[in-house]
């Protein structure tokens, strides 16, 4: 694809004013091996998509580009950017938890030009011989250090060896540089495009606070801290184990906080829903393991709370990178109990001891409606927005984020309007279809 067309598509489809310096560096370069480094929120996904588009031939000749991502959520988010930029090329997203039959059916209909996948699921396709790697021009491994850290090395090795060595592009991207690159990925002649130091450090926009917990059990301190924050704040609480995530979540939920839960032990639909409700304001507090520390495109996170100390400098960096993105500011809270050792990589601007309080949590300002129809029923975001405004009396500024899935959809509306909206929608049809609308709760 020509450079002018790439720029035009980016500006039009992604609603940006201009490519940033990192993206321009990728656009102007011609290296066949690239290591792309940049802080969270710096636009790496668009940058490597640009690099990929430069390598593609005309659509319809077979699988030309493969992008591997270490998590389902990152694969889905990357897929949405790629689809927007690569109109005319068939793009598929493959990941564990998604029906394999649906993926193989999509390949039988027409071989995709671009596949975004998690390593395990792509390796599964190779074992089943459902995809041919013979035509691949571009191989991109996003968050490659995280993928290797999560134990995907054997799958990635299998995939890399199936791809033609004379491909036009191999690109590895990350927010941090790992100590070494495995020898099965040849990057001997790689050009390093490193914007981790050339952009303004996010640290300059962070206020890092050491929160003193008088008890070893930090739950009471966490509750008191949350009650000092603005009710509209979007907050991610990081813990080190799934069991801890469940415990903290259950305590906050029982106390009345509008909270969601996110970790790798949940079903895919539960994880997607947790992120959607967090993003649309229905559960503005999210308790998570480090699974949420990378790759997720979550806008306007006001604060990060380390309930447990990060286990490594990389984890510290990636957790904190959920806030203070691009030009925004954010606050990092680290809860420390008496006698707890402080890692050398943590540094603080001030200390805080939240006072005990009898105040009650403020309910979420937004609530979420569930629609039992989605993309496969030909329902779009515009359809749902119009339905809500025309049939329930909501004004345009009262309709929040709308997410469309294959067979269902959700929409955020003001919590105070839920009862009247559900009453007004009774018996109403959406695109001449009888649709069930209900309130959804993040259980």
């Amino acid at each position: 694809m020509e450079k002018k067309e790439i720029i035009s598509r980016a500006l039009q489809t992604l609603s940006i004013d201009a490519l940033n310096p990192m993206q321009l560096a990728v656009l102007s370069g011609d290296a066949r091996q690239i290591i792309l480094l940049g802080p969270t929120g710096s636009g790496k996904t668009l940058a490597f998509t640009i690099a990929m588009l430069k390598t593609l031939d005309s659509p319809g000749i077979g699988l030309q580009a493969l992008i591997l991502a270490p998590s389902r959520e990152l694969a889905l988010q990357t897929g949405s950017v790629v689809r927007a930029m690569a109109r005319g090329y068939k793009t598929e997203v493959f990941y564990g938890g998604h029906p394999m039959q649906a993926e193989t059916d999509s390949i039988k209909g027409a071989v995709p030009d671009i596949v975004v996948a998690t390593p395990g699921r792509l390796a599964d396709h190779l074992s089943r011989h459902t995809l041919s790697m013979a035509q691949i021009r571009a191989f991109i491994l996003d968050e490659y250090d995280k993928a290797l850290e999560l134990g995907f090395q054997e799958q990635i090795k299998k995939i890399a060896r199936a791809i033609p060595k004379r491909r036009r592009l191999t690109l590895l991207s990350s927010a941090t540089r790992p100590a070494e690159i495995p020898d099965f990925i040849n990057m001997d002649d790689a050009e390093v495009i490193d914007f981790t130091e050339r952009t303004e450090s996010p640290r300059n926009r962070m206020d890092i606070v050491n929160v003193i917990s008088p008890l070893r059990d930090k739950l009471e301190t966490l509750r008191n801290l949350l009650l000092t924050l603005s009710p509209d704040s979007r907050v991610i609480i990081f813990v080190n184990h799934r069991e801890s995530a469940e415990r903290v979540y259950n305590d906050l939920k029982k106390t009345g906080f509008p909270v969601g839960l996110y970790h790798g032990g949940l079903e895919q639909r539960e994880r997607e829903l947790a992120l959607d409700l967090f993003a649309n304001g229905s559960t503005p507090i999210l308790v998570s393991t480090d699974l949420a520390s990378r790759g997720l495109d979550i806008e306007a996170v006001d604060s990060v709370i380390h309930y447990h100390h990060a286990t490594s400098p990389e984890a510290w960096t990636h957790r904190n990178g959920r806030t203070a993105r691009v030009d925004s500011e954010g606050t990092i809270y680290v809860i420390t109990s008496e006698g707890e050792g402080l890692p050398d990589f943590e540094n603080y601007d001030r200390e805080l001891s939240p006072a005990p309080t009898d105040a009650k949590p403020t309910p979420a300002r937004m609530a979420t409606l569930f629609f039992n129809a989605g993309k496969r029923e030909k329902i779009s975001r515009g359809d749902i927005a119009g339905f809500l405004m025309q049939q329930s009396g909501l004004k345009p500024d009262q309709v929040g984020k709308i997410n469309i899935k294959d067979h269902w959809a959700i929409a955020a509306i003001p919590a105070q309007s839920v009862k009247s909206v559900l009453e007004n929608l009774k018996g109403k049809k959406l695109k001449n279809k009888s649709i069930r609308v209900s309130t959804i709760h993040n259980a």
Side-chain angles (χ1 to χ4, degrees):
M1 188 180 295
E2 295 295 326
K3 294 180 181 179
K4 287 184 178 179
E5 185 178 359
I6 291 173
I7 294 173
S8 175
R9 286 196 181 191
L11 302 187
Q12 292 176 9
T13 61
L14 302 179
S15 300
I16 58 177
D17 296 325
L19 298 182
N20 67 27
M22 176 197 293
Q23 294 152 0
L24 289 171
V26 171
L27 182 66
S28 60
D30 57 4
R32 295 172 63 95
Q33 299 174 358
I34 298 173
I35 297 175
L36 181 64
L37 304 173
T40 301
S42 59
K44 292 192 297 296
T45 302
L46 177 54
F48 67 64
T49 300
I50 288 170
M52 175 199 73
L53 291 174
K54 290 166 56 183
T55 72
L56 298 185
D57 289 331
S58 299
I61 65 171
L63 178 60
Q64 298 187 54
L66 173 63
I67 303 172
L68 294 183
S71 71
R72 307 165 189 175
E73 291 76 16
L74 182 54
L76 288 165
Q77 292 185 4
T78 299
S80 67
V81 174
V82 173
R83 283 195 176 105
M85 288 292 293
R87 294 191 312 273
Y89 293 89
K90 183 181 180 183
T91 300
E92 295 288 351
V93 181
F94 298 156
Y95 53 91
H98 189 242
M100 174 61 81
Q101 188 62 49
E103 295 180 0
T104 55
D105 288 347
S106 72
I107 297 170
K108 290 175 183 176
V111 176
D113 302 292
I114 305 165
V115 165
V116 183
T118 53
R121 178 50 63 95
L122 202 282
D124 197 358
H125 276 285
L126 289 183
S127 298
R128 296 167 184 251
H129 304 289
T130 55
L131 279 173
S132 169
M133 305 281 115
Q135 299 297 324
I136 284 186
R137 273 78 169 150
F139 174 44
I140 297 170
L141 182 52
D142 190 18
E143 298 284 2
Y144 67 100
D145 52 333
K146 184 64 174 179
L148 298 174
E149 177 186 310
L150 289 174
F152 291 126
Q153 185 151 328
E154 288 305 313
Q155 290 96 328
I156 295 172
K157 182 189 295 187
K158 176 179 180 180
I159 294 163
R161 288 178 173 172
I163 297 174
K165 288 184 171 57
R166 300 185 65 181
R167 53 188 177 267
R168 298 175 185 174
L169 174 69
T170 304
L171 187 150
L172 311 182
S173 82
S174 180
T176 55
R177 186 195 293 262
E180 59 182 357
I181 296 170
D183 56 11
F184 57 82
I185 302 177
N186 178 20
M187 301 298 285
D188 293 341
D189 300 318
E191 175 186 351
V192 179
I193 300 177
D194 188 351
F195 275 78
T196 55
E197 300 298 333
R198 282 185 273 180
T199 55
E200 180 193 355
S201 172
R203 178 64 180 91
N204 297 333
R205 303 190 301 274
M206 293 176 181
D207 179 23
I208 302 184
V209 185
N210 187 19
V211 180
I212 306 301
S213 173
L215 303 175
R216 291 188 64 83
D217 188 330
K218 303 176 182 179
L219 283 173
E220 183 177 353
T221 300
L222 174 62
R223 293 192 295 266
N224 291 333
L225 172 62
L226 289 171
L227 289 169
T228 69
L229 306 182
S230 167
D232 292 327
S233 292
R234 193 169 294 167
V235 182
I236 300 180
I237 302 167
F238 282 108
V239 299
N240 289 344
H241 310 286
R242 295 177 184 178
E243 295 78 10
S244 300
E246 297 276 355
R247 177 174 180 264
V248 172
Y249 165 76
N250 287 327
D251 180 87
L252 294 180
K253 189 173 181 64
K254 181 179 179 180
T255 310
F257 287 95
V259 61
L261 176 66
Y262 183 78
H263 62 67
L266 300 173
E267 295 293 329
Q268 175 64 18
R269 176 165 169 169
E270 293 176 303
R271 286 161 57 177
E272 289 183 23
L273 187 59
L275 293 179
D276 288 340
L277 268 60
F278 178 64
N280 73 20
S282 295
T283 53
I285 301 170
L286 185 68
V287 179
S288 178
T289 59
D290 281 339
L291 184 65
S293 67
R294 296 195 189 208
L296 300 180
D297 186 14
I298 303 172
E299 297 178 358
V301 176
D302 300 285
S303 302
V304 162
I305 298 176
H306 297 259
Y307 185 83
H308 291 144
H309 292 275
T311 57
S312 68
E314 292 76 20
W316 169 257
T317 297
H318 286 291
R319 285 180 177 188
N320 294 346
R322 295 299 88 204
T323 189
R325 301 186 68 177
V326 192
D327 296 323
S328 63
E329 297 181 349
T331 306
I332 312 296
Y333 298 97
V334 186
I335 303 180
T336 304
S337 61
E338 184 178 357
E340 191 171 18
L342 302 182
D344 292 338
F345 51 79
E346 293 184 1
N347 53 85
Y348 313 110
D349 299 314
R350 57 190 175 94
E351 287 191 351
L352 174 68
S353 297
T357 175
D358 293 328
K360 301 297 182 185
T362 302
R365 187 172 57 85
M366 302 298 287
T368 297
L369 299 180
F370 175 88
F371 298 76
N372 68 334
K375 294 177 185 175
R376 298 296 176 89
E377 289 74 33
K378 309 299 184 184
I379 302 298
S380 70
R381 288 184 178 87
D383 293 330
I384 288 180
F387 182 62
L388 289 172
M389 289 184 285
Q390 294 166 16
Q391 303 295 344
S392 73
L394 289 175
K395 297 177 181 179
D397 62 357
Q398 293 179 300
V399 180
K401 287 182 177 290
I402 298 173
N403 300 84
I404 307 291
K405 310 297 181 180
D406 283 349
H407 293 291
W408 54 280
I410 58 175
I413 65 169
Q416 63 185 16
S417 302
V418 167
K419 186 175 180 180
S420 62
V421 167
L422 290 177
E423 189 64 31
N424 289 336
L425 294 180
K426 281 184 179 178
K428 304 291 175 59
K429 291 187 176 183
L430 173 57
K431 294 186 73 172
N432 295 319
K433 298 180 176 70
S434 295
I435 302 294
R436 179 170 56 83
V437 184
S438 57
T439 309
I440 195 165
H441 300 283
N442 192 26

